[in-house]
Amino acid sequence: MNKDHFFDAFGQIDPAYVFAVDEILAGSGAKSAAFSRRKLIRAALIAAVIAGLLTVTAYAAGLFGLQERLIRDPAPTGQSAGISVETGKTLDELQSVHHRDYLSLSGVNGSPEYRAAAEWLAYKGSHADQMAAEQLEQGKAYYEWRDLERSFAPDEETKEICRLYQVWDEAMWDKLQEIAGKYGLALHTGRTAFPGVPRDYGIYEDGSFSAAIEATARIGFSYTIYLERPGSLPADDLAAGTEEYEEWAYSNAWGDELSIARCADDDWALVFYTGESATITLRVWYGGGEDHSLLESYADRINFGAVASLSDPEEILTMLRGDKT
């Protein structure tokens, strides 16, 4: 069903049902005496069909893939007045460090997780610009504003949270709490290392995790995986880069609905999975090439739904390394 067929069919529905569907989808629970039980049942069925069609259409259009995960960083529009030429030059050089596009690791465009991540990443870049400028104008190194010891943190748990989210001063800590509260999200409080996996990765207190998986005979490729449970602001981030992608929807051998984005003229790709219990993002090194079937065969080797259901670190690594299917 293409979008024209969908809206043609939608246009044939009695407006009374559409209004009732609106109430059902919104969860208002409102009832009208003039609207019979039979019609309410029909409206509920229509609501289910509409919700299903919207989901199918979204997957077909790649709306749970790259474009709906992309977070554009608002690069600075101009230099602050009163700074020296030297400071301006340094800030220009730092722009690619402070301002990058990222991929949302939890939630698509419009979700609380996406919006919070976008706001936090934008703030980090602008705050770094401001603090670097102040340091440079005082004749200091641009990075010396960062409190590496997090001495502003009142306790060890706060220090750990600040380490996970790369918070460097009290202003950043206040902003992080403000953004999480604004969108009703929790902050990750700790990360435990996986056995044999670099310390940059690990499993969080709610079962979210990130891991680097080396190629094995069973899986045949190397990849980095990010799994995020809903309801938390991700501490990890994944830069989007400036490459061009070819993207398509794919249902793998396990019935997982995926979106695969192949980086043009390169040897890596992105695989996206959105489930009820987790959002999964893979950055795959597969050797390059334009053959879709190669990437699809790799995607067939991971049971994304099963991985999303696991919480034990050993079980997770066993499945991700292809030792358990």
Side-chain angles (χ1 to χ4, degrees):
M1 173 181 286
N2 62 32
K3 62 181 178 62
D4 294 323
H5 294 156
F6 173 77
F7 285 110
D8 282 346
F10 189 84
Q12 301 305 312
I13 300 174
D14 188 323
Y17 292 126
V18 176
F19 292 132
V21 166
D22 179 61
E23 291 184 346
I24 291 170
L25 291 177
S28 68
K31 294 182 179 180
S32 170
F35 210 77
S36 69
R37 183 173 181 274
R38 180 186 298 178
K39 288 185 176 181
L40 280 173
I41 292 173
R42 292 181 66 184
L45 291 174
I46 292 171
V49 171
I50 291 173
L53 287 172
L54 289 174
T55 301
V56 171
T57 304
Y59 269 116
L63 295 183
F64 297 145
L66 180 64
Q67 291 305 313
E68 285 300 293
R69 298 279 203 92
L70 187 60
I71 297 174
R72 294 289 188 186
D73 183 283
T77 55
Q79 301 288 0
S80 301
I83 63 172
S84 65
V85 174
E86 291 76 13
T87 294
K89 288 181 179 179
T90 303
L91 291 179
D92 286 340
E93 293 170 358
L94 290 172
Q95 182 167 334
S96 61
V97 178
H98 293 171
H99 299 276
R100 289 179 286 174
D101 294 339
Y102 292 90
L103 296 174
S104 170
L105 298 176
S106 180
V108 295
N109 195 348
S111 69
E113 292 85 356
Y114 177 100
R115 294 166 65 192
E119 191 168 329
W120 172 239
L121 292 169
Y123 170 79
K124 286 174 69 175
S126 63
H127 186 68
D129 285 341
Q130 176 186 340
M131 299 306 295
E134 291 180 8
Q135 292 293 116
L136 291 167
E137 289 299 285
Q138 296 173 28
K140 301 176 182 178
Y142 69 85
Y143 50 81
E144 285 189 358
W145 63 275
R146 298 185 177 190
D147 181 355
L148 302 181
E149 301 299 322
R150 277 93 177 186
S151 58
F152 56 88
D155 51 52
E156 289 304 315
E157 180 178 280
T158 302
K159 284 187 178 182
E160 178 63 9
I161 296 172
C162 290
R163 185 185 69 81
L164 293 175
Y165 288 92
Q166 299 179 357
V167 171
W168 301 108
D169 63 14
E170 188 171 4
M172 291 187 74
W173 171 233
D174 291 342
K175 190 65 175 180
L176 178 64
Q177 294 178 92
E178 175 191 321
I179 291 173
K182 176 180 177 181
Y183 294 100
L185 301 176
L187 295 173
H188 288 312
T189 58
R191 182 174 64 192
T192 304
F194 282 114
V197 175
R199 287 176 58 103
D200 291 343
Y201 305 97
I203 184 166
Y204 294 95
E205 76 296 326
D206 67 344
S208 300
F209 66 84
S210 58
I213 306 299
E214 296 298 325
T216 66
R218 288 181 180 272
I219 60 174
F221 62 102
S222 299
Y223 63 95
T224 303
I225 180 171
Y226 301 89
L227 181 148
E228 281 289 337
R229 307 291 179 193
S232 294
L233 175 61
D236 294 309
D237 53 58
L238 179 59
T242 58
E243 297 84 356
E244 294 184 359
Y245 296 86
E246 176 188 9
E247 185 174 19
W248 66 97
Y250 180 64
S251 179
N252 75 354
W254 304 92
D256 300 316
E257 298 297 335
L258 310 174
S259 183
I260 303 175
R262 182 185 69 83
C263 183
D265 303 320
D266 213 328
D267 59 355
W268 60 274
L270 297 164
V271 180
F272 302 105
Y273 167 82
T274 301
E276 290 185 4
S277 63
T279 298
I280 299 177
T281 307
L282 266 61
R283 193 173 192 271
V284 179
W285 284 265
Y286 72 103
E290 298 182 1
D291 186 358
H292 287 194
S293 63
L294 178 62
L295 277 169
E296 290 172 355
S297 69
Y298 289 155
D300 286 337
R301 301 178 195 184
I302 298 177
N303 186 337
F304 288 82
V307 170
S309 70
L310 298 178
S311 59
D312 179 79
E314 292 288 354
E315 282 192 86
I316 291 169
L317 286 185
T318 296
M319 183 167 285
L320 292 177
R321 289 169 173 163
D323 299 326
K324 175 181 177 183
T325 56

